[in-house]
């Protein structure tokens, strides 16, 4: 795997020949809004927001990372970034209730177009559709804006999905057919909607989630648990579009299968709450969160089973034998020194997002995680299968 700490000032590569390289600077910042674009199966450009109103773009040049652009248009903290790889457009959303679409000129300059979101609360998340002809923006206004380009007026407009959302939309994901959208929210529920825009798309046919698909049609609604279950932090459609997975603040993993009567399978875990989930095959998914380690689970029939921890890092002790140091400290001071706060994992703080790096949802080869420690880590599943005894991803 590759570990890339992000920060505010200049980046350099310490050990470019290593399979676990690190970019180091004077200060690391937690990153809440982070998105990367990958070209030719290598990481060449990164767009991220260092917890303010700016979006920084870095490009890899040889063994160095250099900042090429600084996108400044938002007034308040950026909450979401998504970079469409085929059309090379970036969409950003912010607490300032605005969204912008950024397009690049031939000279490399990024130009911005305002999106008419028509919301009165912060925008919280954004995601391009698979065909990249529209995108969805979740917000604290208890609605989802489905945005598309109106050629007649040369601007981006939006249509709203409102009912029956009762709280802030925290996470969204698109169905592979470009027509359906799943959303998790702070009202403890996950919902599947139709996001069909008749102005730009042909009439969709029926699918396993439903047959009537006007914009905003509620196709399914799942409570995180009968008693609430906490906020829904992340949602994900499977590659075939038949399953929806989500994680909430109750440390549970949930899967709803439309081919099984939309039945929900719930697994309560022993770990700290998860903040992200992502399918890596039609039956396997990776989750991560406050435990700082990505975990692999497998779904089949009516069961979700734990497979493995994907981070088997063993931190090396420094300064002599740890057991001897603890014994001497206990003998002299009647206490054990706890100055060492490093975790036995690559991420040193909560993992906030999981994204596909190489491959597709049906067969992911590499995926990336970002965390509040300011690191981007790329995980190679083939290497992990070889290094972790008994691990087999199906």
């Amino acid at each position: 795997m590759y570990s890339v700490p992000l920060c505010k000032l200049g980046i350099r590569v310490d050990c470019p020949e290593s399979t676990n390289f690190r970019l180091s600077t004077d200060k690391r910042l937690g990153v809440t809004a982070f998105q990367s674009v990958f070209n030719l199966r290598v990481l060449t450009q990164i767009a991220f927001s260092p917890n303010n109103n700016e979006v920084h773009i870095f490009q890899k040049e040889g063994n160095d990372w250099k900042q090429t652009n600084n996108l400044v248009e938002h007034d308040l903290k950026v909450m979401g970034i998504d970079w469409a790889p085929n059309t090379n457009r970036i969409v950003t959303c912010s607490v300032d209730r605005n969204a912008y679409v950024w397009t690049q000129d031939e000279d490399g300059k990024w130009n911005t177009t305002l999106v008419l979101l028509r919301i009165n609360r912060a925008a919280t998340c954004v995601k391009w559709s698979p065909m990249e002809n529209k995108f969805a923006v979740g917000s604290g206004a208890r609605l989802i804006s489905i945005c598309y380009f109106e050629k007649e007026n040369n601007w981006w407009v939006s249509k709203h999905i409102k009912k029956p959302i009762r709280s802030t939309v925290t996470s969204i994901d698109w169905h592979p057919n470009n027509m359906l959208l799943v959303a998790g929210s702070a009202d403890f529920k996950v919902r599947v909607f139709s996001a069909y825009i008749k102005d730009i798309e042909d009439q969709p046919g029926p699918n396993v989630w439903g047959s009537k698909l006007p914009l905003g049609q509620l196709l399914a609604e799942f409570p995180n648990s009968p008693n609430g279950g906490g906020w829904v932090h992340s949602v994900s459609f499977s590659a075939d579009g038949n399953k929806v997975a989500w994680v909430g603040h109750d440390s549970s993993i949930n899967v709803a299968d439309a081919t099984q009567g939309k039945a929900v399978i719930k697994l309560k875990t022993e770990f700290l709450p998860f903040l992200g989930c992502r399918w890596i095959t039609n039956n396997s998914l990776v989750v991560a969160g406050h435990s700082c380690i990505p975990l692999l689970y497998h779904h089949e029939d009516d069961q979700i089973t734990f497979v493995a921890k994907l981070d088997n890092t063993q931190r090396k002790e420094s300064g002599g034998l740890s057991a001897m140091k603890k014994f001497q400290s206990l003998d002299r001071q009647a206490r054990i020194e706890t100055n060492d706060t490093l975790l036995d994992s690559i991420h040193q703080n909560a993992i906030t997002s999981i994204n596909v790096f190489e491959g597709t949802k049906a067969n992911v080869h590499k995926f990336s995680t970002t965390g509040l420690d300011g690191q981007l880590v790329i995980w190679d599943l083939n290497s992990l299968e070889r290094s972790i005894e008994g691990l087999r991803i199906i």
Side-chain angles (χ1 to χ4, degrees), residues 19 30 35 49 55-56 58 72 119 139 165 171 173 234 237 290 314 332 373:
T19 57
Q35 182 65 31
S49 176
V55 176
H56 299 175
F58 281 78
V72 182
I119 57 177
S139 71
I165 303 171
S171 178
D173 193 31
S234 181
F237 265 118
H290 288 284
Q314 295 295 322
R332 291 195 304 266
D373 56 357

Side-chain angles (χ1 to χ4, degrees), residues 84-138:
N86 298 320
T87 55
N88 192 33
R89 294 184 299 203
I90 298 174
V91 60
T92 60
C93 69
S94 166
V95 176
D96 63 11
R97 301 171 296 171
N98 290 323
Y100 293 98
V101 174
W102 304 80
T103 55
Q104 193 173 27
D105 289 340
E106 293 181 358
D107 60 358
K109 181 181 178 182
W110 289 90
N111 298 313
T112 179
T113 305
L114 176 66
V115 183
L116 302 178
L117 290 181
R118 300 182 293 119
I119 57 177
N120 59 6
R121 295 290 186 273
T124 54
C125 52
V126 63
K127 196 170 185 66
W128 284 103
S129 68
M131 293 180 62
E132 300 176 8
N133 61 343
K134 57 186 177 180
F135 58 87
V137 180

Side-chain angles (χ1 to χ4, degrees), residues 134 146 148 159 179 195-202 215:
K134 57 186 177 180
I146 307 299
Y148 62 98
K159 293 187 177 181
M179 300 294 176
Y196 161 62
I197 301 293
K198 65 179 181 180
D199 297 343
I200 61 172
E201 296 170 309
D202 296 331
L215 177 66

Side-chain angles (χ1 to χ4, degrees), residues 4 6 72 84 91 107 114 131 188 199 217 238 281 338 359 364 379:
V4 185
L6 298 175
V72 182
V91 60
D107 60 358
L114 176 66
M131 293 180 62
F188 315 151
D199 297 343
Q217 177 70 39
S238 61
T281 70
T338 57
V364 174
W379 307 82

Side-chain angles (χ1 to χ4, degrees), residues 373-388:
D373 56 357
Q375 290 195 93
L376 162 68
V377 182
I378 300 169
W379 307 82
D380 188 327
L381 292 173
N382 292 329
S383 297
L384 290 171
E385 280 190 296
R386 293 192 297 268
S387 63
I388 300 177

Side-chain angles (χ1 to χ4, degrees), residues 315-326 328 340:
R315 182 166 54 86
K316 295 180 180 179
E317 299 290 350
S318 59
L321 295 176
S322 178
M324 179 62 73
K325 287 176 61 179
K326 290 181 179 179
Q328 291 173 343
D340 190 354

Side-chain angles (χ1 to χ4, degrees), residues 105-303:
D105 289 340
E106 293 181 358
D107 60 358
K109 181 181 178 182
W110 289 90
N111 298 313
T112 179
T113 305
L114 176 66
V115 183
L116 302 178
L117 290 181
R118 300 182 293 119
I119 57 177
N120 59 6
R121 295 290 186 273
T124 54
C125 52
V126 63
K127 196 170 185 66
W128 284 103
S129 68
M131 293 180 62
E132 300 176 8
N133 61 343
K134 57 186 177 180
F135 58 87
V137 180
S139 71
R142 301 186 300 181
L143 59 85
I144 302 169
S145 299
I146 307 299
C147 308
Y148 62 98
F149 189 71
E150 196 174 72
K151 293 182 180 179
E152 292 78 10
N153 297 308
N154 195 34
W155 59 11
W156 291 84
V157 296
S158 64
K159 293 187 177 181
H160 288 170
I161 298 175
K162 295 181 178 180
K163 296 180 180 180
I165 303 171
R166 304 303 304 163
S167 190
T168 300
V169 178
T170 56
S171 178
I172 51 179
D173 193 31
W174 285 92
H175 190 280
N177 70 1
N178 207 68
M179 300 294 176
L180 306 184
L181 185 77
V182 60
S185 57
D187 59 6
F188 315 151
K189 291 185 179 180
V190 172
R191 299 177 177 92
V192 178
F193 294 101
S194 169
Y196 161 62
I197 301 293
K198 65 179 181 180
D199 297 343
I200 61 172
E201 296 170 309
D202 296 331
Q203 180 73 31
N207 58 70
V208 294
W209 292 98
S211 55
K212 295 182 179 180
L213 302 175
L215 177 66
Q217 177 70 39
L218 179 64
L219 303 175
E221 182 178 78
F222 309 106
N224 195 29
S225 80
N227 300 318
W231 290 8
V232 177
H233 288 304
S234 181
V235 293
S236 180
F237 265 118
S238 61
D240 58 13
N242 294 336
K243 300 176 185 178
V244 167
W246 71 88
V247 292
H249 207 68
D250 59 350
S251 301
S252 68
I253 301 170
N254 308 265
V255 174
D257 192 340
T259 63
Q260 302 296 323
K262 300 178 183 177
V264 177
I265 309 300
K266 186 181 187 73
L267 176 66
K268 293 187 177 181
T269 72
E270 62 184 6
F271 301 101
L272 295 176
F274 303 118
L275 299 177
C277 67
R278 187 72 58 184
W279 291 97
I280 58 172
T281 70
N282 274 322
N283 295 311
S284 296
L285 67 157
V286 172
V287 300
H290 288 284
S291 293
C292 310
I293 296 175
L295 307 168
L296 178 65
Y297 285 84
H298 180 76
H299 172 257
E300 189 171 5
D301 297 328
D302 60 348
Q303 287 189 331

